[in-house]
């Protein structure tokens, strides 16, 4: 389609300027201030504000905006019931937030277990990821999720068809499993079908 040939593309309102007009240059997202972090999914966007709230816009087919609906939005809407957030991550069609208490919350598409709540049920508002505490960093891939714990261990959940969870298997996980071989992790990232970590020793 044309958006792969250099044409600005915004059919889902993911630019947040209350239009579906593609832009060649940056445009301000409507009505947002006090933002400390942002994240971009396949067709949705997230913003974390200094007050610990999370705001979302764009496509919402699977509830990835977390506003209790499946209605797409061209301007930011607050993620329902979520306070105390300190980090956000956006996957293909799901979203994650890390709270100041070290818990991780997830919403949106859950077909591969990427929300980590033990089900494959899509969620239209945040649910807590099972069994995680003392988390310091999060990342979201296309259909998988990752978290770094304060002890330097990594945890992962969701799609694992290419081994992206790093647990010596290709089995999808509906709740977090510990990533093999990695300790001393201080940062984590996730691509569509692969994952990365950076360790304290710089590797």
């Amino acid at each position: 389609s044309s958006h792969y040939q250099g044409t600005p593309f915004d059919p889902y309102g993911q630019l947040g300027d209350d239009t579906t007009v593609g832009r060649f240059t940056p445009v301000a997202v409507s009505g947002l201030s006090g933002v400390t972090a942002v994240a971009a999914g396949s067709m949705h966007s997230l913003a974390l504000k200094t007050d610990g709230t999370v705001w979302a816009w764009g496509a919402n087919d699977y509830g990835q905006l977390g506003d209790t609906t499946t209605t797409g939005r061209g301007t930011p809407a607050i993620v329902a019931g979520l306070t105390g957030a300190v980090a956000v991550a956006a996957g293909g069609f799901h979203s994650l937030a890390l709270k100041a208490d070290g818990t991780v919350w997830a919403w949106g598409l859950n077909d591969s277990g990427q929300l980590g709540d033990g089900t494959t049920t899509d969620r239209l508002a945040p649910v807590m990821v099972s069994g995680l505490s003392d988390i310091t960093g999060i990342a979201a891939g296309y259909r998988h999720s990752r978290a770094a714990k304060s002890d330097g261990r990594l945890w992962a959940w969701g799609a694992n068809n290419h081994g992206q969870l790093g647990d010596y298997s290709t089995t999808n996980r509906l709740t977090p499993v510990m990533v093999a071989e990695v300790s001393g992790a201080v940062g984590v990232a996730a691509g569509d079908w692969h994952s990365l970590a950076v360790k304290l020793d710089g590797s």
Side-chain angles (χ1 to χ4, degrees), residues 48-135:
L48 170 66
K49 292 183 64 169
T50 52
D51 64 4
T53 60
V54 177
W55 297 71
W57 61 98
N60 198 25
D61 305 55
Y62 305 101
Q64 61 262 51
L65 301 189
D67 65 353
T68 76
T69 78
T70 54
T71 303
R73 295 187 177 269
T75 57
I78 195 167
V79 174
L82 188 65
T83 58
V86 294
V88 289
F93 306 96
H94 72 291
S95 304
L96 302 176
L98 171 62
K99 290 183 62 166
D101 64 6
T103 59
V104 180
W105 296 72
W107 59 98
L109 183 67
N110 199 26
D111 60 345
S112 302
Q114 58 265 55
L115 302 189
D117 68 345
T119 77
T120 54
T121 303
D122 298 349
R123 304 294 183 181
L124 307 188
V127 293
M128 189 187 293
V129 177
S130 298
L132 287 183
S133 60
D134 300 316
I135 299 303

Side-chain angles (χ1 to χ4, degrees), residues 139-172:
Y142 184 58
R143 278 179 159 86
H144 72 292
S145 305
R146 310 182 72 71
K149 197 167 175 172
S150 59
D151 64 4
R153 300 308 301 254
L154 294 182
W155 294 79
W157 60 99
N160 201 23
N161 51 321
H162 298 290
Q164 57 264 53
L165 301 190
D167 68 344
Y168 288 122
S169 84
T170 54
T171 303
N172 291 359

Side-chain angles (χ1 to χ4, degrees), residues 13-16 29 38-47 54-59 64-65 76 90 95:
Q14 61 263 49
L15 301 189
V29 175
V38 290
S42 287
M43 294 174 289
H44 74 293
S45 306
L46 302 175
V54 177
W55 297 71
W57 61 98
Q64 61 262 51
L65 301 189
S95 304

